[in-house]
Each structure stands twice: as C-alpha cells, then as structure tokens.
C-alpha cells in the first residue's frame, strides 16, 4: 500500500482547499474492531506491541493511543483474524506473515516468542484514491517547477530510481508518476506485496508469493521480473529492490525497456551506490559490472525525505556515474 503524504498548511491555503486535496479514506473491515476507536482519518500506520501498547502515526511519528487495553491473547487473536482476511494462516509453524488485504491495507504480524515482547502487528493504511501529482504538489512534496520537470521525465520515458527511508512517500510518488503515463501504454508492476495503485487503464500488477509450509510454491521477485518481459510491458516497474531482482531489473532497463522505474531504501543520496552494490552482490554481480549496468539503466535518482513537520518531499536528485570503476552519484539541480 502506498506511503501517504501528510497534509500541511501552506501559505494561504484554506481548510476547504486542504479537504479537497485529501483523498478519501477506507472503510475498515469489522475484524479491525478493537482498533477502530483509535483510527481517525489522519492515521496512516498502526503498531501493536503485544500487550504493551498501541501506537498510531498521523504523520508526525508514532504516538501512544490513550485508553488502549488488550491482553497478549487478544492481540494474537486480532493478528490471526487480520492475516486471515488476506488469505494467509498465522500460527506457530508460520509465525511471521506479511499480507495485503483486498482494500489495499498491508498487515505484518510476528507472533511470540519470535517477537519477544508479545505479538507484534504493523498495519499500513492507504488512501482509497492514489494521489496524483497535483495533490502531492498541494501537500508540499515538490514545487511547481519540480512538477513540470517530473512530467517531462514521464513524457521522455526516463528510467527513474526513487530512494528514501521508510515512510518517505516512495510508493506514493511512483504511483502518481505512473498515473501520468499515456493510456495507450501497458504498465507492469512487480512487488513483494502489491502496493502500487496508479490511476491507469492498463496496469498489470504482479505480486511475489512466499513458500507454503512444505517449503514449496515460492515465486520470487527475480522470477516475476523475468516473466514480465514476456508480457510486452511498455513500462516495467519493480516496487522495491531488496535482493537479486536488481540484476533482472538492470538487465531489462538496459535492453530497450525505457520508462521503467524502481524504489530503493536508502538513508541519503550518497548512500545509493553502496546500497546498489550490496544488492548486486546478492545477485552475484561484482562492483564493476554493477556500476556499468546501473549507470546506463537509470536516467535519474530522486531522493525523498520526511521533514520534521511530517511533510514528505523530494529532497535531492542525482545521476549515477562511474568513478574509478566503482558506482558513484553526483547531485544535480535539474529543475
């Protein structure tokens, strides 16, 4: 599910204009019952730490929810019920499960004793309508000149790598950019847990699958990237590169699949080369091969961060370069 941008007042914006920019919210399944009293429209993330407490994030970091009371047994039952909504089973044989519900809500659960503080629930709540570039601009993600530049990247079929820490809006921005792709083009997105929801009439979403209790049936991101190449995508997108799939993505983007994109966890723009090298090593790529592939694969790197007030924004842009046979990056100001 996509990261949600926090509404922040800007200039002379009225409460009405803020309301117009805010996407509508989801209706929660009754299985969320014990949590419903703590979920207002501003909540994007919910954390249950066993019987120790409930925390919610409204854009300014996790805050304890007043009045929450639950035993470890009740939290475990809640986790089992929510995971069950996603068609998965949570028990001592499968104590760690990550599922996406039909509504787009993402639920991650870890049972005790793997979680030593009791059953741990992490829930990310999306907005029903994917944000577009106009909405994100209104929320302070970028200014008018940056918006024009972003539209140019989509029109020019640039290959884009979006980086940032957890909760900085990588998926939300990528969804908004994909919503600007011409309707005549076919988008294929590949994700560990499907979260990208662009407003586009020809979007095919592929989701990885974990193995069953017998250790069979797993379908990895790397395999899905290979499968997608047989689906004639006009835009090939990997929601988040976490491992060996980076090799397949780089290969695809270097063989005529322009207009592709991916996201990557990185603390800062300068950390991106090291993160790519680490992923390349998992795929058996040495640093020299990775550098040559990455420089020709990605047109631009967009790095996002989260301002102290909660606003997600484009902080920096950079281009990957080779320095002494190793991957490096230089910051650019293209807008």
């Amino acid at each position: 599910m996509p990261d949600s941008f926090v509404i922040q007042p800007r200039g002379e914006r009225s409460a009405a204009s803020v309301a117009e920019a805010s996407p509508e919210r989801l209706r929660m399944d009754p299985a969320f019952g014990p949590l419903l009293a703590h979920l207002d429209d501003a909540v994007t993330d919910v954390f249950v730490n066993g019987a120790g407490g409930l925390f919610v994030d409204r854009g300014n970091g996790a805050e304890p929810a007043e009045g929450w009371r639950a035993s470890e047994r009740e939290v475990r039952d809640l986790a089992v019920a929510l995971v069950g909504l996603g068609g998965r089973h949570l028990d001592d044989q499968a104590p760690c499960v990550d599922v996406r519900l039909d509504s787009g809500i993402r639920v991650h659960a870890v049972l005790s004793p793997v979680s030593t503080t009791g059953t741990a629930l992490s829930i990310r709540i999306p907005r029903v309508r994917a944000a577009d570039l106009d909405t994100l601009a209104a929320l302070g993600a970028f200014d008018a000149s940056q918006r024009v530049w972003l539209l140019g990247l989509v029109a020019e079929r640039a290959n884009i790598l979006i980086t940032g820490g957890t909760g900085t809006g990588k998926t939300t921005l990528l969804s908004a950019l994909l919503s600007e792709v011409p309707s005549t083009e076919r988008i294929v997105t590949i994700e560990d847990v499907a979260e990208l929801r662009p407003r586009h009439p020809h979007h095919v979403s592929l989701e990885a699958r974990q193995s069953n209790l017998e250790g069979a049936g797993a379908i990895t991101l790397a395999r899905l990237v290979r499968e997608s190449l047989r689906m004639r995508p006009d835009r090939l997108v990997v929601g988040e590169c976490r491992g060996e799939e980076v090799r397949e993505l780089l290969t695809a983007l270097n063989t005529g699949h322009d207009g592709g994109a991916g996201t990557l966890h990185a603390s800062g723009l300068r950390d991106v080369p090291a993160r790519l090298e680490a992923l390349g090593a998992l795929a058996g790529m040495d640093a020299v091969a990775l550098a040559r592939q990455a420089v020709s694969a990605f047109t631009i790197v967009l790095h996002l961060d989260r301002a102290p007030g909660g606003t997600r924004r484009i902080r920096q842009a950079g281009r990957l370069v080779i320095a002494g046979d190793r991957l490096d990056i230089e910051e650019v100001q293209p807008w």
Side-chain angles (χ1 to χ4, degrees):
M1 127 233 52
D3 300 324
S4 300
F5 284 77
V6 177
I7 296 175
Q8 296 292 328
R10 291 176 60 82
E12 299 296 322
R13 294 178 67 211
S14 66
S17 68
V18 170
E20 288 176 3
S22 177
E24 61 191 79
R25 302 295 300 191
L26 292 168
R27 292 188 178 181
M28 308 296 286
D29 188 279
F32 285 86
L35 302 175
L36 292 178
H38 304 276
L39 302 181
D40 56 53
D41 286 353
V43 173
T44 60
D45 293 89
V46 181
F47 310 102
V48 184
N49 303 332
L54 170 70
F55 294 79
V56 296
D57 189 343
R58 295 181 173 86
N60 296 309
E63 305 169 351
E66 300 297 331
W68 167 261
R69 297 289 184 275
S71 67
E72 166 59 19
R73 179 75 256 177
E74 290 170 329
V75 174
R76 181 182 175 117
D77 290 345
L78 174 63
V80 170
L82 294 180
V83 167
L85 291 178
R88 297 289 303 279
H89 192 63
L90 182 70
D91 59 20
D92 292 337
Q93 298 300 313
C96 306
V97 177
D98 190 16
V99 297
R100 174 185 51 82
L101 309 186
D102 289 341
S103 60
I105 293 173
R106 182 170 177 173
V107 176
H108 183 270
V110 183
L111 294 182
S112 174
V114 177
S115 171
T116 60
T117 55
T119 299
L121 265 173
S122 304
I123 304 168
R124 177 160 288 184
I125 304 172
R127 296 178 178 185
V128 173
R129 298 199 314 267
D132 56 22
L133 291 182
D134 289 337
T135 300
L136 298 189
L139 301 182
F142 42 79
D143 60 28
S145 61
Q146 289 173 322
R147 180 186 178 280
V148 172
W149 176 69
L150 290 172
L151 286 172
L153 291 177
V154 176
E156 295 163 9
R157 300 183 59 82
N159 290 335
I160 304 169
L161 180 62
I162 301 176
T163 66
T166 300
T168 54
K170 299 183 296 296
T171 302
T172 301
L173 177 59
L174 182 52
S175 286
L177 292 173
L178 294 177
S179 297
E180 301 295 334
V181 170
S183 61
T184 54
E185 296 185 15
R186 175 177 170 88
I187 301 172
V188 178
T189 61
I190 300 157
E191 299 174 88
D192 191 29
V193 175
E195 295 180 297
L196 287 166
R197 309 177 90 185
R199 300 178 185 176
H200 194 276
H202 200 167
H203 168 221
V204 178
S205 174
L206 303 181
E207 183 178 67
R209 187 173 70 187
Q210 299 178 10
S211 59
N212 58 24
L213 293 179
E214 288 74 39
I219 299 178
T220 65
L221 290 178
R223 177 180 172 183
L224 289 179
V225 174
R226 295 193 295 272
E227 295 292 337
S228 71
L229 299 178
R230 302 181 179 93
M231 300 172 67
R232 216 223 73 180
D234 294 301
R235 308 267 181 162
L236 177 61
V237 177
V238 175
E240 183 183 339
C241 290
R242 297 187 181 186
E244 62 176 334
E245 67 276 359
V246 72
R247 176 184 55 209
E248 279 71 23
L249 177 61
L250 292 175
T251 300
L253 297 182
N254 275 299
T255 54
H257 288 82
D258 296 330
T263 69
L264 180 76
H265 270 87
S267 299
L269 192 66
R270 300 299 309 173
D271 297 327
V272 172
R275 287 284 294 127
L276 286 171
E277 285 189 357
L279 297 183
L282 295 176
M285 301 176 69
D286 62 38
V288 175
L290 183 281
R292 292 175 178 173
Q293 289 279 305
V295 166
S296 57
F298 292 111
T299 310
I300 196 75
V301 178
L302 302 179
H303 186 73
L304 311 183
D305 74 358
R306 188 168 172 173
T311 302
R312 282 81 163 176
R313 60 187 179 180
I314 296 179
R315 179 64 180 271
Q316 296 168 291
R319 286 193 173 89
L320 296 170
V321 297
I322 296 178
D325 288 334
R326 297 290 294 273
L327 188 63
D328 201 352
I329 194 166
E330 58 183 21
E331 185 174 357
V332 297
Q333 291 288 343
W335 47 78

